[in-house]
C-alpha cells in the first residue's frame, strides 16, 4: 500500500496537508465546493442532487396518485404548475399521466437510487472506511458528478417542453419510444431522455471504475479484503455490476437513437401508423427488451446492494453485535451479483419470447431467491441477543429488512412463469418492486444519511424528529404498497390512467383512495426529514468523534475531516470491523485500529497467534484515536 | 380563501418550529445526558410489536373478508392450474413470512437496549447457515418443478383442430379476424397492404384463403374447445390480457405471437355464477401503448359450441363488406372469391341442396 499512499500524497499536496483539522483549504470557493475533487464534497453533491430528485420524483407520483385515487376531483389548482396538461374540465391529461409515470420511474431508479445512493455513499465511505486519502482519481470522480449534473439538467428540461417528456414507461420499449407519431413524448422528450441517459451512463461508469480501483489498490495497511466492512463489499460488487451492465444499456440507447433518427431497423419492423406503412423491416422489439433488461435486472441490484451493505453495518453497530455470518453475507452478495446477470428475461415471460427460454429463466430466477433468503436470516440472527439502540438509522435499517422480506417473497410468485402470466404488468408487480427495490433502497439511503450525517457535517441530526420521520414513513409505505397486492391479484393493469372503462376493473375505489391518501401523507412526512437535515447541518448538536461507538475507520478521523481525511498518517488496521461486545473486552466495541496485542483479555485463540504477525510488520503502527 | 389556508399553514409550521426549538433548548439546559441511548428507546420496541400485531391482523382480516372482492373467477382450464400454483405458493410464502416477521419483531422488542446488558458475541454458525440455505433451496425446487410442468403444458403447441382466431392490436383498439366458415384458414397478410379505406388487416387478396375471412369487434369463443389466439400488432406493442381466462401475451409488430386455452364457462354461466346479469368478459391491453392504453378494451363472449358456430355463420365476410377490393383479386380467382365471400350463391351448394 505504501506506493499508493505516496502517490496520493503528492496528489493532494497542493490542497494543503498542513491543517486538516479545520477546513482551511487553499482553494477558492469554486474549487472547494463546486469543482471539488475531494470525495467527501463530491459525495455531498450527489446527496443534495439526489434529494432534489427524490422530491421531484415524489411529487410526480403524488400527482398521478391523485388521478388514480380521486379521479372525480377537479385539479385545476395545479394549472400554474402543469399548464396545458390539465384539461379544460380540470382533469389530468391522459398522455401526461404516462409522462409522469415514466419520469417518476426514471428519476427514482436512476437519479435517486443509483446516483443519489451509490454516488453519495460509495464516494463518502470507500476512502474513509478502507483508509485512503481520496479516490484513485479525484479528477474522474469530479467528472462523474458533473456528467450526472449535465444529465440531470437535460432530464429536468425535458419535463417542461411542450410535447412533454418521455412517456413510454421507464423501460422505454420501442416502437412506442421510437415513434413520435405514437405518442408526442417520443419526440424531443425522448431525445432528451436518451441523451441524458448517455451522460448518466458515462457518469456511472466513471464512478464505478473509480470505486473498484480504489477498493482494490488503496486500502490502508492491514486492511485485507476479509477485514472490509460489508458496506465496502456491497459498493464494490455494485460497481462491478454497473461496469458490466451499463454499457449494454448504452448500446441499446444508441441503437434506439439510430432507429429514431437515421432510419435503421434494429427494433422496428412491419409498422403501419398514422395512415402509412413505415419503411422499417427486419428489426425486433424483443431485441430491445433483452438489451434493456440485461441492464435492467442488474440495475435493481445496483440499487439494492448498497442499501443492504449500509444496513448490515448499521444493524451490527446498533445491535452491538457482529453481523451474523460475515462470510455468508459476502458470499450471498457475490452470488446475487453473478446471478443478477442471468435472470433478466423473467421480465419477458409473456412477450412472445421462446417459451423454452422462459423455463430456463424461471429456474435461474428462483435460484436467486436463496441468497436473498440467507441475507434475511442473517439479519434476524444479528438482532438475536443484541442490545438494540433504536437510533433513526437503526429504525430505517429494520424497516429495510422488513420491506426486503415482504417484497422479496412476492418475487417467488413473479419468478414462476406460469403464475406470472396473470400477474405480469399488473399492480402486483408494482407492489413487489416498490417494496423490495424502491422502499428498501430508499430506507437504506435514509439510514445511511442518519448514520453518517455526523461524519458528513460534523453535527448530529435530531433523534426525535428522525424517529418520528421513520414511523410515519414506515407505516405510510406499507399503506401505499401493501394494498396494491390485492389490486394486482384482481388483475388491475399498471400504467392505466383510469380503470373505469372496464367492468372487471371498476372496483377498489376505496383501496385506491386509501393508497393515494397514504402517498400524500408519506410525502408530507418527508418534510420532517428535510427540515431536520438542513437545520442540523447548521444548528445541530456538535457531533462527538465516534457518536455510535462504531469500530470502522471513518470514526477515527477528526470531526470535520479535511482533504486527505487523516491529519497524520493513515491508521493501520488489525482486525475485522465487527468486534462488538467481544467477551472480555472493556468496552462493547473494539475499533479496527486496535491491535490484538493490546487486547489480550478478549482475543480468541486464533487471534492470539496473530499478535506475532502484528509486531513483525506493524513497527510503525500508529493508532489515531481521533481526539481533536 | 387560499390566502387564509396559506397563512394558517405558515402559522402551524411556525408553532411547530417554536415547539421544536423549546424542547431542544430544554434538553440542552438539562445538560446533555451522556446516555448510550435516547430516553424513549424501549418505546420503539413496543411500537414494533404493536405494528406487527396490527398489520398481521389487518392482513389476514382483509385477505379473508374480502376474498371474493380481489379474486377473479376462473374460466379456463389452465387457469385452474396456475391459480392452484398461485395459492400453493401463497400458503408457503405466507407461512414463511409470518414466522420470520414474528421472530424478527419479537427479537427487536426483546433485545432492545438494557443498561448493563451485554450483547452476545455470535459471529457465525455454519450448521444454522447451511440449514437456511438448504431448506429454502428445497422448497424452491419443488415450486420450480411444478411451475415448469404447468408452463410447459400451457406453452406446448396447440391441437391441430384448435379454433384459430387472429387478434390485431392497434392504437387504441382490438380487432379479431376469423378464418371463415368455408375454408377455416386465415388468409395471408402483409403490413404494406394495410390502408385507410377498409383493408385494415393488410389482407393479401391473391391468397384465396382470405376471401371468407371475417372481422369482428367482439371476440367470440366457444366453450370447451381449444382456442388458439394468433396475436399481432400494427403499430406499437400491445398485450392481450383476458383476466378471467388467465391469458396474457404481447402483441408485437413484426412478430406473431400466440396463446392457446380452453374456456370453461359461457358468458351466461358466468352471469349466474357471479349473480351479475350484466357480467361480460373483457379483453384489456397490458402493455403501455400510448395515451389510450387504458381504454383499449374488447368485449368477449363465450358461447356454447352450437351457438358459436351459428354466430360464425351469421357473420358477413370481410370481402362482402368491402366489395371494392374485388378489383385487387387476381382475375382468375375472382369468381371463386365472389362465391367464398358470399357475394354470389355457390352453384355447387345450390346443386347439392337441390339434390337433397
Ligand atoms: C431482491 C431484490 C429485488 C429487486 C430489487 C427486484 C426488482 C424488481 C423490479 C424493479 C421489477 C419491475 C420491473 C417492471 O416491470 O417495471 C421486478 C419485477 C420482477 N421481479 Fe423482482 N426484484 C427483486 C427480487 C426478486 C426476487 C427474489 C424475485 C424472484 C424470486 C424477483 C422476480 C421478479 C420478476 C419475475 C419480475 C417480473 C414480473 C413481471 O414483469 O411480471 N424479484 N423486480
Ligand atoms: Cu429482473
Ligand atoms: Cu396498451
Amino acid at each position: 500500500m505504501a506506493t499508493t499512499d505516496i502517490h496520493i500524497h503528492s496528489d493532494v499536496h497542493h490542497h494543503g496537508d498542513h491543517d486538516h483539522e479545520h477546513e482551511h483549504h487553499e482553494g477558492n470557493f469554486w474549487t472547494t465546493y463546486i469543482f471539488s475533487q475531494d470525495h467527501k464534497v463530491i459525495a455531498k453533491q450527489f446527496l443534495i442532487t439526489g434529494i432534489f430528485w427524490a422530491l421531484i420524483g415524489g411529487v410526480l407520483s403524488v400527482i398521478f396518485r391523485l388521478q388514480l385515487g380521486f379521479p372525480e376531483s377537479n385539479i385545476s389548482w395545479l394549472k400554474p404548475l402543469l399548464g396545458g396538461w390539465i384539461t379544460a374540465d380540470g382533469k389530468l391529461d391522459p398522455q401526461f399521466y404516462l409522462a409522469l409515470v415514466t419520469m417518476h420511474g426514471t428519476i427514482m431508479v436512476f437519479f435517486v437510487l443509483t446516483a443519489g445512493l451509490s454516488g453519495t455513499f460509495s464516494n463518502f465511505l470507500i476512502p474513509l472506511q478502507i483508509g485512503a486519502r481520496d479516490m484513485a482519481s479525484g479528477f474522474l470522480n469530479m467528472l462523474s458528478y458533473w456528467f450526472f449534473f449535465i444529465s440531470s439538467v437535460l432530464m429536468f428540461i425535458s419535463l417542461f417542453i411542450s410535447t412533454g417528456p418521455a412517456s413510454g414507461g421507464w423501460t422505454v420499449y420501442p416502437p412506442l419510444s421510437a415513434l413520435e407519431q405514437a405518442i408526442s413524448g417520443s419526440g424531443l422528450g425522448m431525445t432528451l431522455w436518451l441523451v441524458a441517459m448517455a451522460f448518466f451512463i458515462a457518469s456511472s461508469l466513471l464512478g464505478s471504475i473509480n470505486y473498484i480501483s480504489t477498493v482494490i489498490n488503496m486500502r490502508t495497511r492491514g486492511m485485507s479484503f476479509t477485514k472490509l466492512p460489508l458496506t465496502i463489499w456491497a459498493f464494490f460488487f455494485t460497481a462491478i455490476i454497473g461496469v458490466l451492465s451499463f454499457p449494454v444499456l448504452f448500446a441499446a440507447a444508441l441503437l434506439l437513437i439510430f432507429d429514431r433518427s437515421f432510419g435503421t431497423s434494429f427494433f422496428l419492423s412491419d409498422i403501419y401508423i398514422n395512415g402509412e406503412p413505415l419503411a422499417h423491416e427486419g428489426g425486433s422489439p424483443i431485441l430491445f427488451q433483452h438489451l434493456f433488461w440485461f441492464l435492467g435486472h442488474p440495475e435493481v441490484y445496483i440499487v439494492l446492494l448498497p442499501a443492504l451493505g449500509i444496513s448490515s453495518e448499521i444493524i451490527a453497530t446498533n445491535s452491538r453485535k457482529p453481523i451474523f455470518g460475515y462470510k455468508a453475507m459476502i458470499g450471498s452478495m457475490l452470488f446475487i451479483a453473478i446471478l443478477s446477470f442471468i435472470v433478466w428475461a423473467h421480465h419477458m415471460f409473456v412477450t412472445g419470447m421462446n417459451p423454452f427460454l422462459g423455463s430456463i429463466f424461471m429456474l435461474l430466477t428462483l435460484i436467486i431467491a436463496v441468497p436473498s433468503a440467507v441475507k434475511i436470516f442473517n439479519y434476524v440472527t444479528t438482532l438475536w441477543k443484541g442490545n438494540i439502540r433504536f437510533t433513526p438509522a437503526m429504525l430505517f435499517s429494520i424497516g429495510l429488512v422488513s420491506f426486503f422480506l415482504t417484497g422479496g417473497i412476492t418475487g417467488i410468485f413473479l419468478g414462476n412463469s406460469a403464475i406470472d402470466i396473470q400477474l405480469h404488468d399488473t399492480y402486483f408487480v408494482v407492489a413487489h418492486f416498490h417494496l423490495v427495490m424502491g422502499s428498501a433502497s430508499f430506507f437504506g439511503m435514509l439510514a445511511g444519511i442518519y448514520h453518517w450525517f455526523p461524519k458528513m457535517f460534523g453535527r448530529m441530526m435530531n433523534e426525535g424528529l428522525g424517529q418520528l420521520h421513520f414511523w410515519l414513513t414506515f407505516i405510510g409505505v406499507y399503506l401505499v404498497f401493501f394494498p396494491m397486492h390485492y389490486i394486482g391479484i384482481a388483475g388491475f393493469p399498471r400504467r392505466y390512467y383510469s380503470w373505469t372503462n372496464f367492468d372487471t376493473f371498476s372496483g377498489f375505489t376505496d383501496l385506491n383512495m386509501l393508497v393515494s391518501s397514504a402517498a400524500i401523507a408519506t410525502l408530507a412526512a418527508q418534510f420532517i426529514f428535510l427540515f431536520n437535515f438542513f437545520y442540523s447541518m447548521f444548528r445541530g448538536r456538535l457531533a462527538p468523534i465516534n457518536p455510535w461507538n462504531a469500530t470502522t475507520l471513518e470514526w477515527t478521523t477528526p470531526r470535520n475531516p479535511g482533504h486527505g481525511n487523516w491529519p497524520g498518517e493513515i491508521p493501520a488496521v488489525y482486525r475485522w470491523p465487527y468486534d462488538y461486545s467481544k467477551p472480555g473486552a472493556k468496552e462493547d466495541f473494539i475499533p479496527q485500529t486496535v491491535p490484538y496485542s493490546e487486547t489480550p483479555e478478549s482475543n480468541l485463540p486464533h487471534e492470539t497467534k496473530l499478535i506475532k504477525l502484528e509486531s513483525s510488520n506493524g513497527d510503525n503502527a500508529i493508532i489515531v484515536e481521533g481526539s481533536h | 380563501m387560499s390566502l387564509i389556508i396559506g397563512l394558517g399553514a405558515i402559522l402551524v409550521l411556525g408553532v411547530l418550529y417554536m415547539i421544536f426549538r423549546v424542547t431542544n433548548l430544554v434538553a440542552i439546559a438539562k445538560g446533555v445526558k451522556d446516555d448510550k441511548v435516547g430516553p424513549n428507546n424501549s418505546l420503539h420496541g413496543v411500537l414494533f410489536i404493536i405494528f406487527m400485531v396490527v398489520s398481521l391482523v389487518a392482513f389476514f382480516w382483509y385477505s379473508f373478508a374480502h376474498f371474493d372482492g380481489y379474486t377473479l373467477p376462473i374460466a379456463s382450464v389452465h387457469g385452474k392450474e396456475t391459480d392452484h400454483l398461485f395459492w400453493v405458493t401463497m400458503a408457503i410464502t405466507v407461512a414463511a413470512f409470518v414466522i420470520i416477521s414474528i421472530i424478527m419483531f419479537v427479537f427487536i422488542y426483546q433485545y432492545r437496549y438494557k443498561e448493563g446488558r451485554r450483547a452476545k458475541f455470535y459471529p457465525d454458525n455454519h450448521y444454522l447457515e447451511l440449514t437456511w440455505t438448504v431448506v429454502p433451496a428445497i422448497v424452491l425446487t419443488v415450486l420450480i418443478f411444478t411451475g415448469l410442468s404447468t408452463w410447459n403444458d400451457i406453452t406446448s403447441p396447440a391441437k391441430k383442430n384448435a379454433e384459430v382466431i387472429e387478434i390485431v392490436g392497434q392504437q387504441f383498439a382490438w380487432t379479431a379476424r376469423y378464418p371463415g366458415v368455408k375454408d377455416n384458414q386465415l388468409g395471408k397478410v402483409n403490413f404494406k397492404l394495410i390502408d385507410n379505406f377498409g383493408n385494415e388487416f393488410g389482407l393479401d387478396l391473391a391468397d384465396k384463403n382470405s376471401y371468407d375471412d371475417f372481422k369482428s369487434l367482439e371476440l367470440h369463443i366457444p366453450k370447451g374447445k381449444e382456442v388458439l389466439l394468433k396475436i399481432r400488432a400494427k403499430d406499437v406493442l400491445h398485450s392481450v390480457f383476458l383476466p378471467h381466462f388467465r391469458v396474457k401475451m404481447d402483441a408485437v409488430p413484426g412478430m406473431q405471437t400466440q396463446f392457446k386455452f380452453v374456456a370453461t364457462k359461457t358468458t351466461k354461466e358466468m352471469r349466474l355464477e357471479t349473480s351479475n346479469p350484466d357480467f361480460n368478459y373483457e379483453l384489456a391491453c397490458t402493455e403501455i401503448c400510448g395515451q389510450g392504453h387504458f381504454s383499449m378494451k374488447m368485449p368477449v363472449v363465450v358461447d356454447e359450441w352450437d351457438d358459436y358456430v351459428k354466430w360464425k355463420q351469421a357473420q358477413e365476410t370481410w370481402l362482402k363488406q368491402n366489395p371494392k377490393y374485388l378489383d385487387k383479386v387476381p382475375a382468375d380467382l375472382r369468381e371463386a372469391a365472389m362465391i367464398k365471400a358470399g357475394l354470389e350463391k355457390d352453384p355447387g351448394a345450390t346443386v347439392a341442396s337441390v339434390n337433397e
Side-chain angles (χ1 to χ4, degrees):
Chain A
M1 291 308 110
T3 46
T4 41
D5 268 353
I6 288 163
H7 165 77
I8 286 309
H9 263 284
S10 59
D11 217 40
V12 294
H13 225 96
H14 59 280
H15 285 280
D17 245 0
H18 333 289
D19 187 2
H20 285 291
E21 249 176 89
H22 314 287
E23 291 190 30
H24 288 162
H25 297 308
E26 275 145 33
N28 56 24
F29 173 80
W30 288 95
T31 56
T32 311
Y33 294 108
I34 309 297
F35 295 106
S36 169
Q37 297 187 18
D38 184 320
H39 71 101
K40 299 183 292 301
V41 178
I42 295 174
K44 289 176 206 170
Q45 290 171 331
F46 271 110
L47 178 59
I48 302 286
T49 319
I51 290 178
F52 167 79
W53 275 121
L55 265 184
I56 305 259
V59 169
L60 297 186
S61 70
V62 163
I63 296 175
F64 66 72
R65 268 315 321 180
L66 277 179
Q67 160 62 27
L68 295 179
F70 311 97
E72 305 300 323
S73 68
N74 185 320
I75 52 165
S76 38
W77 52 275
L78 278 170
K79 255 208 160 105
L81 188 63
L82 300 182
W85 295 115
I86 304 283
T87 59
D89 50 348
K91 295 275 177 296
L92 193 64
D93 180 275
Q95 189 187 313
F96 196 65
Y97 174 87
L98 295 179
L100 288 173
V101 173
T102 305
M103 294 314 278
H104 161 78
T106 305
I107 288 170
M108 288 302 193
V109 172
F110 292 113
F111 289 57
V112 181
L113 293 178
T114 305
L117 181 61
S118 274
T120 304
F121 291 101
S122 296
N123 262 316
F124 192 75
L125 291 179
I126 289 177
L128 283 173
Q129 288 196 331
I130 67 170
R133 299 245 178 246
D134 205 319
M135 281 290 172
S137 166
F139 179 71
L140 289 189
N141 209 16
M142 177 184 85
L143 272 190
S144 162
Y145 176 74
W146 286 104
F147 275 24
F148 171 51
F149 188 81
I150 295 172
S151 166
S152 294
V153 170
L154 292 174
M155 200 60 93
F156 192 69
I157 289 173
S158 86
L159 284 170
F160 298 98
I161 59 181
S162 66
T163 47
S167 316
W170 80 281
T171 52
V172 295
Y173 284 177
L176 184 60
S177 62
L179 304 173
E180 205 170 345
Q181 307 93 303
I183 190 166
S184 75
S186 291
L188 180 60
M190 189 60 204
T191 306
L192 285 169
W193 193 96
L194 286 166
V195 178
M197 284 311 294
F199 277 101
F200 185 89
I201 293 167
S203 154
S204 159
L205 289 177
L206 287 173
S208 298
I209 289 169
N210 233 332
Y211 308 148
I212 295 171
S213 37
T214 309
V215 171
I216 292 181
N217 292 317
M218 298 179 58
R219 284 164 288 124
T220 183
R221 214 151 25 85
M223 182 63 96
S224 59
F225 267 88
T226 49
K227 297 201 183 84
L228 286 177
L230 285 174
T231 34
I232 303 300
W233 273 108
F235 300 150
F236 184 61
F237 286 133
T238 304
I240 293 175
I241 299 176
V243 165
L244 294 178
S245 64
F246 265 116
V248 179
L249 179 65
F250 191 77
L254 207 62
L255 298 186
L256 185 52
I257 290 175
F258 284 150
D259 272 9
R260 287 164 51 84
S261 311
F262 306 113
T264 56
S265 306
F266 292 106
F267 308 130
L268 307 180
S269 189
D270 293 31
I271 292 169
Y272 177 91
I273 192 164
N274 260 10
E276 54 173 6
L278 303 185
H280 302 275
E281 264 184 282
S284 163
I286 308 288
L287 171 63
F288 180 88
Q289 300 176 18
H290 280 297
L291 293 176
F292 181 88
W293 286 113
F294 191 87
L295 159 91
H297 194 84
E299 170 65 22
V300 304
Y301 294 100
I302 291 178
V303 162
L304 191 71
L305 284 183
L308 292 177
I310 287 171
S311 62
S312 306
E313 189 64 26
I314 293 173
I315 288 179
T317 305
N318 290 295
S319 307
R320 314 306 297 159
K321 274 190 71 188
I323 191 81
F324 182 78
Y326 173 75
K327 294 227 168 83
M329 290 298 242
I330 298 171
S332 51
M333 280 199 282
L334 175 66
F335 200 50
I336 287 177
I338 295 170
L339 279 176
S340 73
F341 282 99
I342 45 174
V343 299
W344 77 87
H346 65 208
H347 300 267
M348 300 168 60
F349 287 139
V350 293
T351 54
M353 178 181 79
N354 185 329
F356 177 67
L357 270 185
S359 318
I360 301 294
F361 277 94
M362 157 175 179
L363 207 96
L364 294 165
T365 299
L366 292 184
I367 293 175
I368 211 173
V370 175
S372 309
V374 168
K375 290 199 81 86
I376 300 225
F377 294 134
N378 283 9
Y379 283 130
V380 173
T381 316
T382 304
L383 297 168
W384 177 68
K385 295 209 169 176
N387 202 17
I388 303 171
R389 307 181 306 204
F390 297 109
T391 63
M394 181 64 175
L395 291 174
F396 277 99
S397 300
I398 292 173
L400 177 153
V401 178
S402 169
F403 292 152
F404 186 52
L405 172 66
T406 314
I409 270 187
T410 50
I412 295 171
F413 295 78
L414 297 170
N416 190 327
S417 51
I419 302 178
D420 186 52
I421 296 172
Q422 179 74 358
L423 296 177
H424 177 72
D425 269 343
T426 64
Y427 264 70
F428 196 85
V429 176
V430 180
H432 159 69
F433 71 81
H434 276 92
L435 285 170
V436 79
M437 164 172 89
S439 308
S441 308
F442 225 103
F443 269 41
M445 184 164 167
L446 288 168
I449 296 174
Y450 280 108
H451 193 75
W452 281 287
F453 190 91
K455 197 79 270 163
M456 288 184 173
F457 300 102
R459 290 171 185 274
M460 306 297 286
M461 286 180 84
N462 184 293
E463 191 168 275
L465 284 183
Q467 288 161 333
L468 179 66
H469 173 216
F470 165 77
W471 282 106
L472 294 177
T473 313
F474 184 58
I475 294 169
V477 164
Y478 266 120
L479 285 178
V480 173
F481 296 117
F482 205 87
M484 287 186 189
H485 292 110
Y486 299 107
I487 299 175
I489 294 171
F492 283 47
R494 63 192 278 211
R495 293 161 172 168
Y496 263 36
Y497 169 75
S498 124
W499 290 289
T500 46
N501 286 294
F502 293 84
D503 295 337
T504 317
F505 310 133
S506 53
F508 282 140
T509 43
D510 49 349
L511 271 196
N512 273 316
M513 224 140 79
L514 170 74
V515 166
S516 294
S517 316
I520 294 168
T522 313
L523 180 72
Q526 304 318 300
F527 286 90
I528 301 176
F529 166 76
L530 283 183
F531 168 76
N532 196 355
F533 183 82
F534 287 107
Y535 178 88
S536 309
M537 205 187 283
F538 302 105
R539 310 280 302 267
R541 189 158 59 83
L542 287 190
I545 295 292
N546 187 357
W548 319 119
N549 288 342
T551 55
T552 39
L553 277 186
E554 73 273 28
W555 306 109
T556 62
T557 61
R559 189 172 75 85
N560 274 317
H563 207 125
N565 297 339
W566 285 268
E569 208 168 329
I570 303 179
V573 160
Y574 298 94
R575 58 179 77 229
W576 77 327
Y578 298 107
D579 267 347
Y580 287 107
S581 301
K582 218 169 173 195
K586 283 188 255 13
E587 296 281 342
D588 66 354
F589 71 111
I590 311 178
Q592 284 190 279
T593 50
V594 176
Y596 289 122
S597 55
E598 290 183 13
T599 56
E601 67 282 2
S602 67
N603 289 347
L604 301 173
H606 71 276
E607 290 167 347
T608 316
K609 290 197 202 104
L610 294 174
I611 294 179
K612 274 198 220 83
L613 290 173
E614 268 171 5
S615 48
S616 64
N617 69 2
D619 37 75
N620 53 356
I622 291 178
I623 303 137
V624 177
E625 292 293 341
S627 48
H628 298 270
Chain B
M1 182 61 192
S2 51
L3 188 74
I4 298 175
I5 295 177
L7 281 178
I10 291 175
L11 205 68
V12 171
L13 287 179
V15 171
L16 284 179
Y17 180 76
M18 290 309 289
I19 294 175
F20 170 75
R21 283 297 293 160
V22 170
T23 41
N24 252 3
L25 291 175
V26 169
I28 291 170
K30 273 192 189 157
V32 185
K33 20 80 205 172
D34 210 29
D35 284 347
K36 292 234 165 74
V37 293
N40 320 323
N41 199 63
S42 288
L43 171 70
H44 298 284
V46 177
L47 284 176
F48 273 117
I49 292 292
I50 296 175
F51 170 80
M52 175 189 82
V53 172
V54 171
S55 57
L56 282 181
V57 167
F59 166 47
F60 280 102
W61 168 76
Y62 193 92
S63 299
F64 284 103
H66 292 260
F67 187 79
D68 292 335
Y70 66 87
T71 47
L72 290 175
I74 311 170
S76 71
V77 173
H78 79 271
K80 283 222 184 67
E81 284 173 50
T82 55
D83 268 44
H84 177 70
L85 268 181
F86 177 89
W87 291 111
V88 169
T89 310
M90 184 67 86
I92 296 173
T93 53
V94 167
F97 170 74
V98 171
I99 294 169
I100 300 171
S101 300
I102 292 178
I103 293 177
M104 179 171 90
F105 287 115
V106 166
F107 282 179
I108 288 170
Y109 169 77
Q110 189 175 355
Y111 300 112
R112 65 197 186 283
Y113 177 85
K114 287 215 184 69
E115 181 87 55
R117 192 183 60 214
R118 198 158 235 223
K120 184 177 169 66
F121 186 81
Y122 193 62
D124 52 16
N125 177 334
H126 296 301
Y127 293 109
L128 217 53
E129 286 170 276
L130 202 65
T131 315
W132 63 50
T133 311
V134 171
V135 171
I138 292 173
V139 174
L140 283 166
T141 313
V142 173
L143 289 179
I144 288 173
F145 282 102
T146 47
L148 271 183
S149 73
T150 312
W151 172 252
N152 289 341
D153 287 349
I154 294 172
T155 55
S156 62
K159 292 202 187 74
K160 284 241 168 53
N161 69 348
E163 276 292 305
V164 176
I165 306 170
E166 184 189 59
I167 297 192
V168 185
Q170 72 182 75
Q171 286 183 329
F172 299 99
W174 296 101
T175 332
R177 181 166 64 112
Y178 286 75
V181 284
K182 298 229 167 69
D183 60 19
N184 206 20
Q185 299 282 329
L186 285 168
K188 286 204 190 78
V189 288
N190 182 338
F191 82 102
K192 287 186 186 142
L193 299 173
I194 302 178
D195 63 36
N196 265 349
F197 321 109
N199 196 357
E200 55 187 296
F201 294 111
L203 274 184
D204 178 356
L205 291 156
D207 178 7
K208 53 184 186 324
N209 284 338
S210 65
Y211 304 145
D212 66 342
D213 290 4
F214 66 87
K215 162 190 160 176
S216 171
L217 294 176
E218 263 184 8
L219 180 63
H220 281 250
I221 49 179
K223 174 185 153 185
K225 176 125 196 282
E226 189 162 278
V227 172
L228 176 64
L229 299 179
K230 301 227 165 197
I231 301 164
R232 66 187 169 106
K234 294 202 305 203
D235 38 34
V236 298
L237 295 171
H238 303 275
S239 187
V240 169
F241 179 32
L242 293 161
H244 296 91
F245 305 97
R246 312 303 195 248
V247 167
K248 192 176 285 141
M249 183 49 71
D250 282 6
V252 183
M255 185 180 98
Q256 195 195 61
T257 59
Q258 55 183 40
F259 203 110
K260 66 157 213 284
F261 66 103
V262 182
T264 52
K265 293 171 191 164
T266 63
T267 302
K268 269 203 210 94
E269 287 167 344
M270 203 54 143
R271 286 183 180 160
L272 283 179
E273 180 182 326
T274 55
S275 35
N276 172 8
D278 300 324
F279 175 88
N280 275 313
Y281 290 114
E282 290 168 321
L283 187 162
C285 179
T286 48
E287 186 63 63
I288 181 172
C289 58
Q291 81 163 353
H293 173 49
F294 69 101
S295 59
M296 228 175 119
K297 173 168 91 166
M298 186 183 208
V300 179
V301 179
V302 181
D303 284 325
E304 296 289 353
W305 174 253
D306 293 343
D307 298 332
Y308 171 73
V309 172
K310 258 186 235 139
W311 174 81
K312 276 212 303 191
Q313 277 162 346
Q315 302 305 304
E316 275 188 351
T317 63
W318 176 85
L319 198 53
K320 189 170 182 187
Q321 289 175 335
N322 298 275
K324 57 182 187 289
Y325 282 90
L326 273 174
D327 299 349
K328 299 255 164 77
V329 177
D332 54 331
L333 292 175
R334 206 158 291 158
E335 184 64 29
M338 303 264 286
I339 294 168
K340 247 182 147 178
L343 282 161
E344 212 172 72
K345 275 265 158 56
D346 182 344
T350 332
V351 171
S353 56
V354 167
N355 283 355
E356 256 173 38

